[in-house]
Amino acid sequence: MNAVVRRFKWPYLTSGFMIICAVLFARTMTWTWLQSHRPGFDVGLYWYVFTNQPVSDDILIYWGALVPSLVWKGELWRLITPMFLHLHAFHIAANLASLYLIGRQLEAIYGKWRYIAIMVVGNCFGTVSSVVLWPDQNSVGASAAISALIGALIYLRFRYAEHYPKMRLPFWLMVVLVIGGQTVLDIF
């Protein structure tokens, strides 16, 4: 990393990841709504369901939620797909807000390939840990990838301290809240 701070470029990967998550969430919520309600389309009812009802477990499992028993049976793709799925509106909002705050800066600093590597490897470590530590618990969400990004941000702070201003208490409070909140939100 020759230049610690690069010229700002649009965060294509972060934006793309956020769009994929939002589209999949809308799709899974629509499927949940269609399974649980009468035929016809009522905008008010759909909005209520969209904002208050979690996505159906069956639909999340169909779309690739982390199910440890299925991973042990050979469905290794489930180690990556949960990062694109979310349980309810608050869950996706918290994940996307965290990603927006942290991801766009780190994408500019690390570059696209390192940024992808941090997210994918971090997510895989998180999902493998989840499979080993909680073998009976299904999960979804981008918390493992976001936690890896937070780790990369903390690394930058200590490795290149002279280039970054001192991080005050609100930053550390945000880190603790994001990690703790994401962990609770990802388990369904």
Side-chain angles (χ1 to χ4, degrees):
M1 188 164 57
N2 296 337
V4 174
V5 179
R6 296 180 183 177
R7 194 172 60 113
F8 178 78
K9 293 182 181 177
W10 183 258
Y12 293 106
L13 296 174
T14 302
S15 301
F17 181 79
M18 292 172 72
I19 290 168
I20 290 169
C21 289
V23 167
L24 284 175
F25 180 71
R27 182 67 176 152
T28 56
M29 279 305 298
T30 301
W31 278 26
T32 298
W33 183 78
L34 289 173
Q35 278 187 347
S36 62
H37 292 86
R38 67 186 187 284
F41 189 77
D42 179 2
V43 174
L45 182 61
Y46 180 76
W47 180 251
Y48 174 80
V49 170
F50 185 80
T51 56
N52 294 302
Q53 180 178 344
V55 177
S56 163
D57 290 351
D58 295 336
I59 291 171
L60 288 173
I61 291 168
Y62 175 81
W63 280 89
L66 180 65
V67 181
S69 61
L70 295 177
V71 171
W72 288 115
K73 290 179 182 175
E75 294 185 18
L76 298 179
W77 54 273
R78 290 186 182 273
L79 296 174
I80 296 199
T81 55
M83 70 189 286
F84 298 104
L85 300 171
H86 295 84
L87 187 58
H88 47 75
F90 181 73
H91 183 206
I92 192 168
N95 271 261
L96 294 185
S98 301
L99 188 62
Y100 177 77
L101 291 172
I102 298 166
R104 63 190 172 100
Q105 296 168 1
L106 289 179
E107 183 178 345
I109 292 169
Y110 280 109
K112 63 181 176 181
W113 296 112
R114 285 183 184 154
Y115 180 75
I116 290 172
I118 291 168
M119 284 191 70
V120 171
V121 171
N123 183 69
C124 286
F125 273 114
T127 54
V128 167
S129 298
S130 183
V131 166
V132 171
L133 296 174
W134 298 286
D136 298 327
Q137 189 67 51
N138 301 342
S139 64
V140 293
S143 301
I146 292 170
S147 296
L149 293 176
I150 291 171
L153 186 64
I154 292 170
Y155 167 78
L156 281 177
R157 167 61 184 100
F158 289 108
R159 177 69 172 92
Y160 300 101
E162 66 277 3
H163 297 289
Y164 292 94
K166 294 286 183 195
M167 293 180 185
R168 289 175 249 125
L169 179 61
F171 171 79
W172 294 109
L173 183 62
M174 179 192 74
V175 168
V176 170
L177 289 175
V178 166
I179 292 174
Q182 299 294 330
T183 302
V184 171
L185 289 173
D186 285 355
I187 297 173
F188 69 92

